[in-house]
Amino acid sequence: MPLAGTIDKTRPHKLAMPAREDASQSPVLIYQYLDNGELVEVPNTPANQTPGVLAQEMRIRQAQFLQMAEDALHTKGTPEWQQHFEHENAKRRAQEMADRAKVYDDLEQMMCSGYLSSGLPLPDRVHYARTREALAEYLASKPERDAMRDEISDPASCRAWEIVEQQAEVSLQYAYFFDTSDIHDREQCRRISAVEIFNLMNKGP
């Protein structure tokens, strides 16, 4: 498999890591170029990460919650009502992870296939429609994310909050990239924080 320092972002590509491997923890990432099927291995750096990395992490977490749901029904010494409650709660969390994976899969397809091949409209630095829509969603979910932060009690709950917070900011960054891709590349937009995007969208004339 060819080795490279970075992905050729001018070519359509997608993440092609093994299904059960956590891409976010791997030292390297494997991508497939969609124009000729070629696989390429690159270092796992922020510049080389696409939304597919987060999508794969969400699918791994989905599988973990599905296993927790199954295990909950066979916990010895646990009342039946509690088994049922833990089973349904784990199933709900698994579905949440599946929904989040779908969002990042869609972002992966849109972002890595290019505007012309994906059918996306051209960048919009007049109305910033996608950025404003993403910003509204970011602000609407902020109370829930803040509540998760306030309830952190252990490393697991801290990691869960970090993932949700990261997902919210990344979605906003990608929307801003879509609207400004004629002047910004993907890595530049990853360095622009949610606060900075909010200020840009609300600055005076």
Side-chain angles (χ1 to χ4, degrees):
M1 184 183 306
L3 301 177
T6 61
I7 283 290
D8 182 352
K9 298 175 185 176
T10 66
R11 299 171 60 186
H13 55 279
K14 70 175 183 178
L15 189 70
M17 298 288 288
R20 295 187 178 277
E21 185 169 345
D22 188 349
S24 66
Q25 301 299 318
S26 173
V28 297
L29 298 172
I30 300 172
Y31 286 98
Q32 181 179 31
Y33 290 118
L34 303 181
D35 50 8
N36 65 356
E38 176 190 3
L39 294 174
V40 62
E41 186 176 283
V42 297
N44 187 355
T45 62
N48 285 329
Q49 291 177 357
T50 68
V53 175
L54 284 173
Q56 188 141 341
E57 183 177 353
M58 294 303 102
R59 284 191 290 269
I60 290 172
R61 290 173 63 82
Q62 176 192 7
Q64 292 171 343
F65 280 120
L66 287 174
Q67 185 61 54
M68 289 170 61
E70 178 65 23
D71 293 344
L73 296 177
H74 306 287
T75 305
K76 294 182 179 180
T78 303
E80 184 176 345
W81 67 266
Q82 185 174 343
Q83 289 182 353
H84 180 73
F85 173 80
E86 292 179 355
H87 172 76
E88 291 300 320
N89 187 56
K91 283 180 59 180
R92 178 181 59 81
R93 296 297 305 278
Q95 185 58 50
E96 289 176 359
M97 295 302 106
D99 292 342
R100 291 175 184 173
K102 178 63 166 58
V103 170
Y104 286 103
D105 280 335
D106 290 345
L107 282 171
E108 172 94 352
Q109 181 178 0
M110 289 188 294
M111 189 164 180
C112 299
S113 296
Y115 285 99
L116 296 180
S117 59
S118 67
L120 285 175
L122 293 174
D124 175 12
R125 289 191 289 116
V126 176
H127 303 292
Y128 292 94
R130 283 161 290 197
T131 303
R132 294 189 184 281
E133 180 179 356
L135 181 59
E137 294 177 359
Y138 178 87
L139 295 174
S141 64
K142 190 174 188 304
E144 182 179 353
R145 301 196 312 275
D146 288 348
M148 286 185 65
R149 178 200 60 203
D150 294 342
E151 294 175 0
I152 290 175
S153 59
D154 53 34
S157 60
C158 181
R159 177 57 180 156
W161 169 74
E162 288 175 346
I163 289 174
V164 171
E165 193 67 34
Q166 180 187 31
Q167 289 172 343
E169 184 165 66
V170 166
S171 294
L172 180 55
Q173 289 169 333
Y174 282 140
Y176 185 68
F177 167 74
F178 293 152
D179 281 337
T180 64
S181 63
D182 56 334
I183 60 172
H184 292 132
D185 64 26
R186 186 164 68 201
E187 179 58 25
Q188 287 174 319
C189 290
R190 290 173 70 104
R191 294 196 292 265
I192 301 175
S193 70
V195 172
E196 289 174 306
I197 294 175
F198 174 87
N199 290 335
L200 286 168
M201 291 301 101
N202 289 279
K203 68 179 180 180

